[in-house]
Amino acid sequence: MTTQRVLSEDWLPMAELGIESRRERAAASALPPLSFLHVWWARRPIVASAGVVLAGLLPAWTPELAVAFPKSSQLQSESAYRGWLKHLIGIWGDPVKARRAYDAAVASGVRIPNPYSYKQAFRNHPDAVNLDLLASVLRYTWKEDPLVADVTAGGGSIPFAAARLGIRTHANDLSGVAAAVLRSGVEFPATFGLKLVPQLEKWGGLLVSRVQERIAPFFPSAANEAVATYIWAETVRCPKSGKDVPLVPAWNLRTDAGKEVAVRMLTERDGRVLPAPEFEIVRGKDIDFDTSRGTVKRGQALSPWSDLVIDNDHIRTEAQAGRMGRVLYAVVVRLPDGSRDFRAPTATDATALDAAGAALAAVKVSWESDGVLPTEEFPPPISKHDIRPYGFNTWQDFFSPRQLLIHGTFTDEYRKLVPEVQAALDGPESVAVLTLLALMQGKALNYNSRLSFWHTPRQTMGNTFARHDFSYKWTSAEFVGPALYAWALEQLLDAYKGLGALMESTGFDVTSGEVRPRTVVVTQGNAADIPELVDGSVAHLCMDPPYYDNVMYAELSDFFYVWERRTVGLVAPELFPGDLADKENEAVANTARFSHMGKKMRALADADYEAKMTAIFTEARRVLRNDGVLTVMFTHKRAEAWDTLGMGLLRAGFTIEASWPVNSEAEHSLHQSGLNSAASTIMLICRKRAEVTREHRDVYLEDIEGEVRQAARTAVQRFRADGIDGVDLLLSAYGPTLSVVSQHWPVYSSEADAEGRARLLRPEEALTVARSEIVRVQRARLVGQPIEFDPLTDFAVAFWDVMKDDTATFDEGRRLALAVGGLDVDELKRAKILDKQSGVVRLLAPKERLRPRVGDDGSPGVRPQADSFNSLIDAVHTVCLVADEDGLGNAKLLMDRAGLSKDTRFLAAMQAFVNAVPRVRNKGAFILPLAASLDRVVTTYLPQVTVPADPADEPAAEQGHLFEVD
């Protein structure tokens, strides 16, 4: 079979996809409807998914393609063809130009009309003419209607993008929750379109009304208000007084200037000590206390009754013994004019709570035996998720009694509704309606648990999974029951209408007046074994696999799984084969599964992830056509993640033909010192590797080191020109590096294994070579010419240049240190270059590196009295410190005394630091002190050093919303 080169092997519109991906996520209220259907973690942008799916199917442009379609102007030149791809995925303007105008407006603080002349890309759809042409080109290329598969489909962005363009699609996921979301968000809109909406409205309305009728008595409101949210605090008994201590980190309810609202806790009234805390609402000028000082901080509580410090161990002990309680301390209400207000709890609220608790107690045993309530225990999660010490032992513990009553009532009424719907609708349609209605509960669970919270800055509810973990919260927010499922139905209908409209917008046949049929298949199962896909059937396997240890999908999805198994499982039992989500076959680096192995658990988790990814890629090789394409989307900063993923691809028999970084994540500001994050998703374009012939000679890393270095240099030059920088620039070289290794595989390390035999190369060994080459190239770029520094200076310059901040994760610092000069973090700490703590490293400022004169042993550091320096960074930092503390004149004397003013290497180091340390200002002042120090010294005394143009000041106020076209 002749392999046709595909478009993504030659080109991908990285800049346009990056801008549109960020634009797609710019406003929470304007996200694609798939995001509102049900929680899933780490969804890819639809525009990026559509671009990668199509670029992996469409052939690379050739004159022959133009000849084959002589009447299609879209195919008559390479530039027109590339423009056609962008049109097909909804990029109907010039996002690069628009973004440039937007950034300039934000920087200047001047409001301008929306520079985007078109809607967000996912809202635009090609017409029937272009879709027919697309289908014809794909048939011409693949000699059939090609099949796209995503075997780890998760939230469904990739299959949705493929199905919307009329491409045959197969989506699979190990999680039953994800599979239900895939059916609801991709298969049903593709199959039924908007036809389901009247049935969803009818049966959803009936279901919600039945739930409301049963739970309304437990949520009273006064005549002049409508209760919206209850705000709770966990409590622990004061060991000295025996009274309840509410665990509240801060007493703020609203912090808007001039509209402040807070809670005051009362322990006495009219000179009488109260038996329990009481609360009152205070506003504006009446707030005469520090609202940021609550009763708990960093796990320790302070008793308002005795001023006794209650440590976290005691709190956990009380929680595990079942002695922690909860107290209602504020109520959010809506007034008749629609405004929001707050009030203190009342006796009526307490009576309703007691009644709800009694109602739950009356049905709980029967509900558990009938399968209405989950009875499964909460399994041990990875350590950062572990909230079991706070009394979370079963899935019921995630809900208060009243919350449990609400969710149980929904399950009970849903189960009664199932036979009614099945009797009224045909089989496939009833399954679709019932599956979608069941997903309402996912939305309700997420926004009404003990882990949902009051989001003070946004003045709204925060959901359970605002972070991708089970983070314990001292305070929580409760959604008013009767409104909860009405809201969940509204959310479901809006999401499904949006999905159906997007599907129908590209599926409506003007000639016939009907929606074109789509072929979408969704399966639940292990991506390493998908029997539904026959050998050699897939043209493009496009996948967004689990990102190493980023998200523990199975652990998190159990929160929904235990409920949805009792609802969705009634109509689609094949999606929920076990009591809990499958963690044994999940391809993640989950150290919790190996915690019993002590120090070996990280290595075993890595090996487990690699083995599972290898099995998944091996299955991908089986189902791919011989001329098929595998595209892997991957985002991770840690080199171990790339090492294990790369090894899986190599062992499974793939070569990496191309790689493209697409900046798909939200931007962050230098105003906030923190961990520099990878913003780019790397798209790896892979092909099946040909079998190695017997004549193949053994290849070692030394044999391909030159190619690796050249690939890294080329990547830096190419992707830097496309606006890729920082950590992402390092990551952009990983794909080309893995490509070089894959083209020569098997490649061996020069170091033998424990038994003296040749050892297969680990991808990380090649990545280290690539990183060191990037550091060398970047140093020359910063200085303006090739030059050598000492390792300590190289590291500091590279850190600033790559991280764009003074802080990074420990792993980032360690890897960079190794790449720069074979250093380790402890060595850098001894040299007073870095400080390390809590999994992060931080570059020390010049003042923090000061060495005392007494006992001066010549160790690295800042010495104002020194006449010479062993390291250039010591010279640079010492000059900066003297300039800051003793004045520029003394800094000049130091440079003259030590001969630095005419030292070409010192001047080169100053140039490197001036270019590497971000020169961002706020209100005219440098945000980073080192940037200010360097600027003063250089502009006053070192004319040989070129000062780069400064970026504009950070804006004082945010630019208006420019991302949506009305």
Side-chain angles (χ1 to χ4, degrees):
M1 183 179 293
T2 302
T3 299
Q4 165 71 58
R5 194 167 180 83
V6 296
L7 188 56
S8 60
E9 288 176 299
D10 291 343
W11 172 81
L12 200 65
M14 296 183 299
E16 291 89 341
L17 288 178
I19 293 168
E20 283 298 329
S21 292
R22 300 196 302 278
R23 188 174 175 223
E24 183 176 306
R25 297 176 169 193
S29 59
L31 292 170
L34 198 59
S35 298
F36 296 105
L37 184 65
H38 193 286
V39 170
W40 196 254
W41 301 272
R43 277 190 176 97
R44 293 298 97 197
I46 289 177
V47 62
S49 300
V52 172
V53 165
L54 272 190
L57 285 176
L58 287 170
W61 186 85
T62 61
E64 291 75 17
L65 183 64
V67 171
F69 295 88
K71 296 182 180 180
S72 301
S73 60
Q74 302 94 322
L75 278 63
Q76 295 311 299
S77 69
E78 186 171 35
S79 60
Y81 187 57
R82 292 181 175 184
W84 184 51
L85 171 78
K86 289 186 280 188
H87 181 84
L88 288 171
I89 63 177
I91 301 178
W92 290 4
D94 186 344
V96 176
K97 181 179 179 181
R99 181 69 198 203
R100 193 177 297 124
Y102 174 79
D103 288 341
V106 170
S108 64
V110 177
R111 294 186 66 85
I112 62 172
N114 188 350
Y116 292 94
S117 59
Y118 59 98
K119 297 177 182 179
Q120 292 161 294
F122 77 88
R123 298 179 186 275
N124 304 319
H125 52 86
D127 57 22
V129 173
N130 280 288
L131 286 171
D132 287 341
L133 178 59
L134 172 62
S136 297
V137 172
L138 294 181
R139 287 191 206 102
Y140 167 82
T141 304
W142 299 96
K143 313 308 177 191
E144 64 176 353
D145 290 327
L147 175 64
V148 168
D150 182 358
V151 296
T152 56
S157 295
I158 293 171
F160 181 84
R164 189 183 175 207
L165 291 166
I167 301 167
R168 289 197 301 137
T169 305
H170 187 114
N172 175 82
D173 201 273
L174 180 66
S175 168
V177 174
V181 173
L182 289 168
R183 287 188 178 177
S184 300
V186 184
E187 182 182 343
F188 298 154
T191 303
F192 300 103
L194 295 172
K195 174 185 174 183
L196 285 184
V197 172
Q199 298 299 335
L200 291 173
E201 291 175 334
K202 172 185 175 181
W203 296 105
L206 181 61
L207 177 57
V208 168
S209 66
R210 291 175 177 177
V211 173
Q212 288 178 324
E213 184 179 355
R214 289 176 60 177
I215 64 175
F218 309 115
F219 295 90
S221 289
N224 61 343
E225 68 174 29
V227 176
T229 309
Y230 299 93
I231 304 178
W232 293 80
E234 304 285 298
T235 64
V236 66
R237 289 289 180 91
C238 170
K240 189 173 182 179
S241 68
K243 297 182 179 182
D244 285 340
V245 177
L247 303 175
V248 180
W251 295 106
N252 301 305
L253 293 177
R254 184 172 183 173
T255 56
D256 299 344
K259 300 179 181 179
E260 297 88 348
V261 181
V263 175
R264 189 199 308 275
M265 180 176 61
L266 304 175
T267 56
E268 61 178 48
R269 188 184 295 278
D270 300 327
R272 179 177 59 86
V273 176
L274 297 170
E278 294 182 5
F279 308 96
E280 65 180 19
I281 303 298
V282 287
R283 297 174 172 83
K285 296 180 180 179
D286 292 333
I287 303 174
D288 55 359
F289 59 98
D290 185 354
T291 58
S292 66
R293 295 188 62 182
T295 56
V296 65
K297 186 176 183 180
R298 296 192 181 96
Q300 288 191 327
L302 180 67
S303 171
W305 310 101
S306 62
D307 289 333
L308 180 71
V309 174
I310 308 172
D311 64 32
N312 192 246
D313 288 341
H314 178 79
I315 295 173
R316 291 186 175 201
T317 299
E318 292 295 285
Q320 291 164 31
R323 290 191 292 266
M324 278 188 72
R326 302 177 78 236
V327 62
L328 179 65
Y329 72 96
V331 181
V332 187
V333 298
R334 287 285 185 183
L335 301 180
D337 63 1
S339 62
R340 181 187 294 108
D341 198 7
F342 303 88
R343 66 166 172 79
T346 65
T348 301
D349 296 322
T351 300
L353 285 167
D354 291 341
L360 176 66
V363 297
K364 188 177 180 184
V365 173
S366 62
W367 273 4
E368 289 177 341
S369 62
D370 293 342
V372 172
L373 291 179
T375 55
E376 298 86 351
E377 291 187 356
F378 177 42
I382 65 173
S383 57
K384 70 176 182 179
H385 298 169
D386 198 353
I387 58 174
R388 289 173 302 155
Y390 295 99
F392 290 77
N393 299 308
T394 74
W395 291 106
Q396 291 187 26
D397 293 330
F398 283 75
F399 306 94
S400 70
R402 186 160 61 176
Q403 289 172 331
L404 202 59
L405 177 66
I406 296 167
H407 298 313
T409 300
F410 176 87
T411 303
D412 192 38
E413 289 296 341
Y414 175 88
R415 291 159 74 94
K416 295 174 183 176
L417 188 73
V418 168
E420 298 178 48
V421 176
Q422 290 174 332
L425 304 175
D426 64 26
E429 191 171 356
S430 71
V431 169
V433 168
L434 288 167
T435 301
L436 282 158
L437 291 180
L439 290 194
M440 288 167 53
Q441 191 175 44
K443 180 77 70 170
L445 293 166
N446 189 32
Y447 277 87
N448 199 36
S449 80
R450 286 176 60 193
L451 301 184
S452 52
F453 61 99
W454 178 246
H455 199 302
T456 301
R458 296 181 183 175
Q459 290 293 284
T460 188
M461 290 275 296
N463 64 76
T464 299
F465 291 107
R467 295 184 1 174
H468 294 172
D469 59 23
F470 294 116
S471 55
Y472 181 65
K473 300 174 180 68
W474 299 112
T475 64
S476 61
E478 179 188 8
F479 210 122
V480 169
L484 175 63
Y485 276 97
W487 171 78
L489 176 60
E490 180 184 350
Q491 291 278 300
L492 171 70
L493 290 171
D494 283 349
Y496 187 80
K497 287 175 183 178
L499 292 165
L502 288 175
M503 281 290 183
E504 289 193 359
S505 67
T506 57
F508 189 75
D509 191 322
V510 178
T511 303
S512 66
E514 296 181 356
V515 176
R516 304 165 190 246
R518 311 291 179 100
T519 302
V520 178
V521 175
V522 174
T523 54
Q524 179 276 324
N526 189 347
D529 181 20
I530 307 178
E532 295 86 354
L533 289 172
V534 301
D535 293 2
S537 60
V538 177
H540 186 191
L541 199 152
C542 186
M543 63 186 297
D544 178 26
Y547 294 163
Y548 188 58
D549 61 352
N550 267 12
V551 180
M552 301 296 115
Y553 300 92
E555 288 183 356
L556 300 182
S557 69
D558 275 343
F559 179 84
F560 303 104
Y561 188 103
V562 294
W563 291 93
E564 291 173 11
R565 185 169 70 88
R566 292 163 164 82
T567 52
V568 180
L570 295 178
V571 294
E574 70 278 6
L575 302 185
F576 301 89
D579 291 342
L580 295 172
D582 185 351
K583 300 168 190 64
E584 292 298 314
N585 290 307
E586 185 182 27
V588 293
N590 190 346
T591 55
R593 295 187 57 239
F594 305 96
S595 58
H596 60 287
M597 298 301 293
K599 294 181 179 180
K600 294 182 179 179
M601 65 180 181
R602 167 55 66 185
L604 291 172
D606 287 353
D608 184 58
Y609 176 72
E610 181 180 312
K612 287 171 179 173
M613 289 308 304
T614 301
I616 290 172
F617 291 142
T618 300
E619 179 72 348
R621 198 177 198 281
R622 177 188 71 80
V623 305
L624 268 179
R625 292 170 42 143
N626 288 335
D627 60 347
V629 175
L630 168 67
T631 298
V632 180
M633 301 183 183
F634 198 69
T635 300
H636 209 292
K637 293 181 295 181
R638 290 186 60 182
E640 290 95 337
W642 283 95
D643 183 57
T644 52
L645 179 92
M647 202 65 177
L649 281 168
L650 295 170
R651 288 184 182 276
F654 284 98
T655 59
I656 299 167
E657 300 298 317
S659 67
W660 307 99
V662 173
N663 190 338
S664 60
E665 305 299 325
E667 298 100 329
H668 56 86
S669 172
L670 255 175
H671 270 304
Q672 299 172 343
S673 177
L675 305 186
N676 185 270
S677 300
S680 292
T681 297
I682 310 299
M683 315 296 182
L684 302 176
I685 316 302
C686 310
R687 294 276 195 172
K688 289 184 178 182
R689 185 173 60 245
E691 297 295 331
V692 178
T693 62
R694 291 186 177 181
E695 291 76 22
H696 177 83
R697 68 178 183 84
D698 288 347
V699 177
Y700 290 84
L701 176 59
E702 291 80 0
D703 299 325
I704 63 170
E705 183 174 341
E707 286 185 61
V708 169
R709 291 186 179 278
Q710 181 60 52
R713 287 195 298 273
T714 301
V716 168
Q717 294 165 359
R718 179 179 188 180
F719 296 134
R720 190 173 190 83
D722 289 317
I724 305 296
D725 204 358
V727 171
D728 296 298
L729 193 62
L730 279 180
L731 294 182
S732 72
Y734 284 7
T737 300
L738 293 175
S739 179
V740 171
V741 175
S742 72
Q743 300 295 336
H744 294 279
W745 193 257
V747 180
Y748 295 92
S749 172
S750 56
E751 298 178 359
D753 64 16
E755 298 178 4
R757 295 175 301 187
R759 174 177 64 81
L760 278 175
L761 181 79
R762 295 292 313 186
E764 165 57 13
E765 297 172 75
L767 296 179
T768 298
V769 172
R771 284 195 301 272
S772 66
E773 183 64 16
I774 292 172
V775 168
R776 189 187 68 79
V777 171
Q778 295 293 75
R779 184 203 307 126
R781 175 186 60 80
L782 292 169
V783 176
Q785 62 183 346
I787 195 166
E788 295 296 323
F789 292 153
D790 57 273
L792 296 181
T793 305
D794 265 339
F795 174 81
V797 170
F799 195 104
W800 280 116
D801 189 45
V802 171
M803 306 305 171
K804 307 299 181 190
D805 202 353
D806 63 356
T807 306
T809 67
F810 178 86
D811 179 70
E812 287 171 338
R814 181 172 65 88
R815 296 287 173 178
L816 190 61
L818 288 172
V820 167
L823 302 168
D824 61 46
V825 171
D826 287 335
E827 186 176 355
L828 290 164
K829 185 177 180 181
R830 287 193 296 272
K832 300 191 77 170
I833 299 292
L834 283 179
D835 181 36
K836 66 171 184 175
Q837 54 183 322
S838 302
V840 300
V841 293
R842 181 179 60 85
L843 284 176
L844 293 177
K847 189 172 184 178
E848 295 175 293
R849 301 190 63 228
L850 186 65
R851 294 279 188 183
R853 293 188 62 185
V854 178
D856 189 340
D857 60 359
S859 299
V862 169
R863 293 184 176 79
Q865 305 304 320
D867 293 323
S868 63
F869 301 92
N870 293 327
S871 173
L872 288 168
I873 187 177
D874 292 345
V876 170
H877 276 184
T878 300
V879 169
C880 288
L881 180 67
V882 170
D884 290 342
E885 298 198 345
D886 300 327
L888 286 168
N890 284 309
K892 177 66 165 60
L893 291 175
L894 167 62
M895 289 190 289
D896 291 343
R897 183 180 73 244
L900 298 176
S901 302
K902 298 181 180 180
D903 186 327
T904 57
R905 293 180 68 247
F906 171 76
L907 294 174
M910 290 292 286
Q911 184 69 74
F913 277 105
V914 165
N915 285 328
V917 179
R919 295 173 56 83
V920 180
R921 298 176 188 257
N922 182 30
K923 297 180 180 179
F926 284 105
I927 292 174
L928 296 169
L930 183 58
S933 303
L934 290 165
D935 185 79
R936 292 171 63 219
V937 172
V938 166
T939 55
T940 306
Y941 291 119
L942 300 177
Q944 310 96 314
V945 177
T946 302
V947 178
D950 290 341
D953 280 12
E954 290 283 309
E958 291 187 5
Q959 175 73 7
H961 181 44
L962 302 181
F963 288 86
E964 188 54 70
V965 174
D966 294 334

